[in-house]
Amino acid sequence: MNAPMHPGTLLQLTLPVRDLSQSENGNVLDIAHPILLERFYPRIADFNASGPLQIQAVETPCGAQPQVDVFRGRWPLETMRKIHSALPYGIAARILIRGPFGVGLTPLATPDLFFMLQELALASGAADGRLVIFKLFEAQNNPDEKRASSRIIKMLREQGLSVLLEDAICFTADAAFPPEHYQECTRLSLNVHHEDFLGLPEILTAVSLKDMIGGLDSKWRDPETPEYADAATLTRALTEVVRQNADEHVVVALHSHDTGFSTEAYAAAMDVACSQRQTFRPDVLPSGQSFAHINEVLHHLQGKNPTAQLTEKQETIVAEMSQALEEVRAMYQDYRIDTSVISGEERRRVKIPGGAVPSTVRLFIQPLADRLKISFEESKTLLLQHMEQAWIDLGKPHSVTPGAKFLGQTAYVKALREARAKAQDEALAHAELYRELPTELLVYWRGQMPAEPNADVFACLCDEYLKRKLPELLPEESYRPLHENLRENPTDKDSARQQLAQHGLSLSKEATQLIESEEVQQHLERLEQLDFYLSIPSSYRLHDEVHCVGPRMEVYEQQRQQFESEHNQKEEKLVKLFAAKSLDYKDTIGTYRRIESLLDHIGLRTQPIAGETESRVPQLQEEVQRILDLGVEVPSFDDAVLAGLLMAPSSNQRLDLSVQKLVFFPRDEFPQEWSHELFHDPGYQADSPYAPLALGAQAQEAELFWNKLAQTFYLNPDWTPSERLDSFYRELNAVQDPSVYEWLLSQKRMQKTPIPFS
């Protein structure tokens, strides 16, 4: 159980500390820094005890943070555990998840998504009485892409974890999307969360509007603000649909990045919510440049809403929390991206979310300038032009992860393709600029977008996808003519169905009618739910002495056995129904599903993006165990598996080198490079290749050496100690700098290496 909120309060604040780190420096800032653990998070209890306005939740490592943690030498789950230990009792930990992508950038198979969400919940204290709120969004507000996460959160709650769900509706301020658009998106999402999934418990606690771009405005700031961008209008609309479709306890929440509008927008939304007696939870911070500040928002409510005010003591506490946050921000000043290079107006016009500004600068604008040998400003102008056009061509996608990254990547590829065509004096049709996109982008852009895409561009994307995918889907030589026929109409499913039938890929009318009958569909829908539940291996569930033993585990095992029995009974029933029509159930349903799957590769993709993804966790568990057999230590087995899942999520990848680095040479220091001035060492390298390096630079060279050697050992698990020693000396003799050579030799002699040799 969690401590109650202050009696009668309608306003509950969330502190998006993690998003501040992403928006300012790409998640480099350590949100579990000792200063924050000692002087920021604990003060929340003092704040809540000092007045009616309450802080209800803190956003913990999520979004892109866990991946960056691995890059920077941190264990993501350890970061969560540290924050959990510092957060006062009764404060919720909020974890932002991207539908089937979890906290990564690759869609995950159901068992892998379950493993990820369970580990995040455990590390955040969900088994220790802390409420963990999974804030679930899907960039294009596709409710079917939320279904897997929603079900998994229900399963986690079923097994005793204190988890709930906040449904986030992605928002773009554009005339194409009036308030009614977001009301309908909310209704469809709530239908998914209210699904009767095997009788498991309800989990919805909040519905929020997620404005990553910062386009939400207010008539308080500008009386000419259109309704589609007005915070008060949208809050009123969201409140209406929540009250019609959810329990009365469900909270309305708001998340808006600051491009110059959010302070007044938050104030107007809070005023409307309070006037409607609707519990409201905005995302604000004491300081920083990414979100509206608590004091500034409340200043706009003075004289309008007496309940939305700070007491004097709360003002003092906010100032002290702000000071702690600013001290940590200052430590990472050199790693902060100058986000002002893309103005607020440009972000709103081109649809660049606040959290994507650093990556847009680092991953697209600067590399494009380097590739085309143009200035940063020229590159920025070119990229933003391509982004703005691509946003329209692709169906006005909500620019939220992963869509935001994909939009930038699409614009980058287009700009390079256009520049190469001009250099070769080649004339390309507009749609042809999209030909060279990576396959993962082709898959994504074929999904349902908020608006209609450009027909020529969409056809080009579909054709390019089929050109790459058909040899895998239909590899037989006899299907080669079918490949060409399908590509003639790459968006036409009806034509494709006829083409498949002409090549023997069809069912009889009687078989199709049976499958699509109401009785069979009801059985298949129930089987799908049972398959989903049973697809999670028992080994993924909680079994240790702290979290899930005794009666709770017995109940889970009994329920699983019950579902397995029902699954068998349903299949037996279907076998009889098909046999009555002289049809083999498994062969017929297998053919039907293959045809439907093939058709989903034509034109608009309707199946969830993770539908055919293979589970990765079992392979990672084997790889991690081989590492542990070398004698290294990690915080826990699952810490290493999760790190691997974040950095090497595909079945054709081995453990990422950054995970190897983390496993074999973990650092307890701040995440900056060792040559940073905070370590009192410039890390310079003299002009002479044989001059001694500065101490910090020696450490970097040594780290790279041991990392490379660790990777070699890992790829050769059968080597004897003698073979490992030979490998060490071969690598050592290749080191040119004598100071590094001596240091490495000394480490080996004193047995202070980060990897074992026997």
Side-chain angles (χ1 to χ4, degrees), residues 36-62:
L36 298 179
L37 297 178
E38 295 170 9
R39 294 166 43 201
F40 185 87
Y41 299 119
R43 298 309 308 277
I44 295 174
D46 300 329
F47 179 94
N48 286 351
S50 302
L53 194 59
Q54 302 281 285
I55 296 173
Q56 193 270 349
V58 171
E59 188 169 271
T60 61
C62 53

Side-chain angles (χ1 to χ4, degrees), residues 552-590:
R552 187 188 300 166
M553 201 65 225
E554 291 176 9
V555 169
Y556 161 67
E557 293 295 350
Q558 290 174 1
Q559 187 168 55
R560 187 176 182 89
Q561 292 173 9
Q562 175 187 333
F563 287 154
E564 288 174 345
S565 175
E566 182 184 354
H567 187 279
N568 293 336
Q569 292 171 7
K570 289 288 182 186
E571 285 208 320
E572 290 174 2
K573 177 67 174 176
L574 286 166
V575 167
K576 292 179 180 178
L577 285 173
F578 277 71
K581 300 289 186 180
S582 301
L583 296 170
D584 181 273
Y585 163 65
K586 290 192 175 180
D587 286 348
T588 305
I589 204 71

Side-chain angles (χ1 to χ4, degrees), residues 497 506-525 574 577-579 581 583-596:
R497 188 181 292 276
S506 64
L507 285 174
S508 67
K509 183 178 180 180
E510 184 180 36
T512 302
Q513 288 177 339
L514 177 61
I515 291 173
E516 295 178 352
S517 68
E518 183 177 354
E519 182 181 10
V520 170
Q521 283 298 307
Q522 288 178 348
H523 286 307
L524 291 176
E525 287 174 10
L574 286 166
L577 285 173
F578 277 71
K581 300 289 186 180
L583 296 170
D584 181 273
Y585 163 65
K586 290 192 175 180
D587 286 348
T588 305
I589 204 71
T591 301
Y592 178 83
R593 286 173 174 165
R594 187 190 181 198
I595 293 170
E596 295 305 309

Side-chain angles (χ1 to χ4, degrees), residues 193-235:
H193 305 316
H194 292 327
E195 172 195 35
D196 181 11
F197 175 57
L198 304 178
L200 298 190
E202 288 285 330
I203 52 174
L204 186 68
T205 187
V207 174
S208 61
L209 201 64
K210 183 178 174 61
D211 174 27
M212 293 292 291
I213 295 166
L216 199 65
D217 204 348
S218 167
K219 295 184 185 295
W220 288 18
R221 190 196 69 84
D222 179 2
E224 300 300 318
T225 298
E227 284 200 347
Y228 66 77
D230 180 50
T233 301
L234 286 155
T235 300

Side-chain angles (χ1 to χ4, degrees), residues 344-356:
E345 186 280 326
E346 288 172 326
R347 285 167 55 180
R348 294 189 296 271
R349 173 170 53 83
V350 183
K351 319 305 181 195
I352 303 176

Side-chain angles (χ1 to χ4, degrees), residues 702-714:
E703 178 184 8
L704 291 173
F705 176 91
W706 293 118
N707 187 56
K708 180 180 179 181
L709 193 65
Q711 180 76 354
T712 303
F713 284 12
Y714 170 68

Side-chain angles (χ1 to χ4, degrees), residues 395-562:
K396 297 190 173 182
H398 295 297
S399 192
V400 184
T401 307
K405 176 180 179 291
F406 291 170
L407 186 63
Q409 194 172 355
T410 298
Y412 179 81
V413 172
K414 280 182 63 208
L416 289 179
R417 183 164 167 78
E418 182 182 64
R420 187 171 67 249
K422 287 181 179 179
Q424 298 172 352
D425 200 24
E426 179 184 359
L428 283 180
H430 175 70
E432 293 296 313
L433 293 175
Y434 292 85
R435 278 281 175 193
E436 295 181 2
L437 295 183
T439 303
E440 64 174 351
L441 269 64
L442 298 176
V443 172
Y444 189 82
W445 296 133
R446 287 180 50 248
Q448 183 68 58
M449 296 296 132
E452 285 294 321
N454 176 289
D456 292 338
V457 169
F458 187 68
C460 182
L461 293 172
C462 293
D463 178 57
E464 184 66 23
Y465 173 77
L466 289 175
K467 182 175 74 173
R468 303 179 196 181
K469 196 70 177 178
L470 283 174
E472 173 189 331
L473 295 171
L474 298 165
E476 295 87 350
E477 186 66 30
S478 60
Y479 287 133
R480 292 298 169 84
L482 177 59
H483 294 187
E484 297 302 319
N485 293 338
L486 291 174
R487 288 184 60 192
E488 287 180 5
N489 297 288
T491 66
D492 191 338
K493 291 183 186 292
D494 290 336
S495 172
R497 188 181 292 276
Q498 295 174 7
Q499 293 289 340
L500 292 174
Q502 291 174 12
H503 286 78
L505 293 169
S506 64
L507 285 174
S508 67
K509 183 178 180 180
E510 184 180 36
T512 302
Q513 288 177 339
L514 177 61
I515 291 173
E516 295 178 352
S517 68
E518 183 177 354
E519 182 181 10
V520 170
Q521 283 298 307
Q522 288 178 348
H523 286 307
L524 291 176
E525 287 174 10
R526 184 66 175 181
L527 269 179
E528 185 275 328
Q529 289 193 357
L530 293 167
D531 282 335
F532 187 99
Y533 187 96
L534 297 172
S535 70
I536 312 299
S538 294
S539 60
Y540 285 26
R541 293 280 199 154
L542 304 176
H543 287 276
D544 63 72
E545 295 180 0
V546 176
H547 297 130
C548 197
V549 293
R552 187 188 300 166
M553 201 65 225
E554 291 176 9
V555 169
Y556 161 67
E557 293 295 350
Q558 290 174 1
Q559 187 168 55
R560 187 176 182 89
Q561 292 173 9
Q562 175 187 333

